[in-house]
Amino acid sequence: SYELTQPPSVSVSPGQTARITCFADALTKQYAYWYQQKPGQAPILLIYKDNERPSGIPERFSGSSSGSTVTLTISGVQAEDEGDYYCQSADSSGPWIFGGGTKLTVL
Amino acid sequence: EAQLVESGGGLVKAGGSLRLSCDASGFSFSTYSLNWIRQAPGRGLEWVASISTTGDYIYYADSLKGRFTISRDNMNNSVFLQVDSLRVEDTAVYYCVRFLAGIGAFDLWGQGTAVTVSS
């Protein structure tokens, strides 16, 4: 099996751009997905298939991929974006695995 | 409105068993595969098990095989997770999660049911 590696924390001021990365060798072949979890709440789907946004998700959330790294970008960060963000992909022995999560702090 | 509501969590001693339930409403239950995903206190998400639309295909996380059993009842729009030989490290919130095959993502999550295993 493999792991998805995320930075433990990212801090950004309101209105700035936050970038959260997720690295794993298998991502060159598998799609990545992103979930947002606010304190005391269940996760919600933010991005699917690397860069697609479900209906209802604000346009300031976007995803991209380059080689073994996928990135969640939050443009014009708002205070309400504070929370934990998880990447997820498929594991050949899995079928599903999650990254360790990144805590986004809005300063 | 589509929703998933879990129940069955609680406090149990190590070695005991629990049966978690998840009741679905607001969508065509039998056309979706369902999953259980757990989150230990202060930790990240861990996929536990998956069951196909008819129950013919079932998958478990390698580390959990043998103690966890997922099942579903399409007549009553419910999915279950039987957990046996509980360990302290099984303490977590257990989420029932719908998988949307068209986009390959977990698109609908319940609010979770908390399981606490004491020694």
Side-chain angles (χ1 to χ4, degrees):
Chain A
S1 64
Y2 68 99
E3 296 182 353
L4 299 177
T5 302
Q6 299 180 233
S9 63
V10 168
S11 298
V12 65
S13 298
Q16 293 189 331
T17 296
R19 294 181 178 85
I20 300 173
T21 58
C22 177
F23 170 83
D25 287 344
L27 283 175
T28 55
K29 299 178 181 178
Q30 305 287 348
Y31 284 120
Y33 304 79
W34 290 96
Y35 300 84
Q36 176 195 61
Q37 186 180 33
K38 295 184 180 180
Q41 298 183 18
I44 63 168
L45 177 65
L46 277 183
I47 297 289
Y48 64 94
K49 291 186 176 180
D50 290 349
N51 55 22
E52 301 289 338
R53 196 173 49 248
S55 60
I57 300 300
E59 291 183 4
R60 65 179 183 275
F61 292 94
S62 63
S64 61
S65 67
S66 177
S68 300
T69 300
V70 292
T71 302
L72 172 70
T73 300
I74 311 172
S75 304
V77 168
Q78 301 179 6
E80 66 192 48
D81 298 331
E82 196 164 85
D84 296 323
Y85 292 80
Y86 295 91
C87 63
Q88 173 250 310
S89 189
D91 177 5
S92 60
S93 67
W96 306 115
I97 64 168
F98 289 89
T102 298
K103 182 177 181 60
L104 175 68
T105 299
V106 181
L107 301 171
Chain B
E1 178 189 2
Q3 65 174 347
L4 298 165
V5 179
E6 303 93 334
S7 61
L11 176 63
V12 62
K13 289 190 174 181
S17 299
L18 275 179
R19 188 183 195 224
L20 308 182
S21 300
C22 171
D23 294 325
S25 60
F27 64 97
S28 181
F29 180 79
S30 63
T31 64
Y32 291 86
S33 65
L34 275 296
N35 295 258
W36 288 94
I37 293 171
R38 71 181 184 179
Q39 185 171 35
R43 305 293 296 274
L45 301 169
E46 180 185 21
W47 172 77
V48 173
S50 171
I51 186 166
S52 64
T53 56
T54 60
D56 290 342
Y57 297 96
I58 289 174
Y59 305 94
Y60 298 100
D62 283 347
S63 60
L64 303 177
K65 283 180 181 176
R67 297 191 300 117
F68 289 66
T69 304
I70 189 172
S71 60
R72 67 187 294 164
D73 177 356
N74 284 348
M75 292 293 293
N76 291 296
N77 294 347
S78 297
V79 63
F80 308 98
L81 185 69
Q82 176 72 34
V83 187
D84 298 318
S85 302
L86 277 158
R87 304 170 181 172
V88 172
E89 55 265 36
D90 293 322
T91 295
V93 173
Y94 286 73
Y95 293 103
C96 175
V97 187
R98 186 178 77 177
F99 182 77
L100 183 54
I103 62 173
F106 300 114
D107 75 317
L108 180 66
W109 297 63
Q111 282 305 301
T113 186
V115 172
T116 302
V117 184
S118 66
S119 56

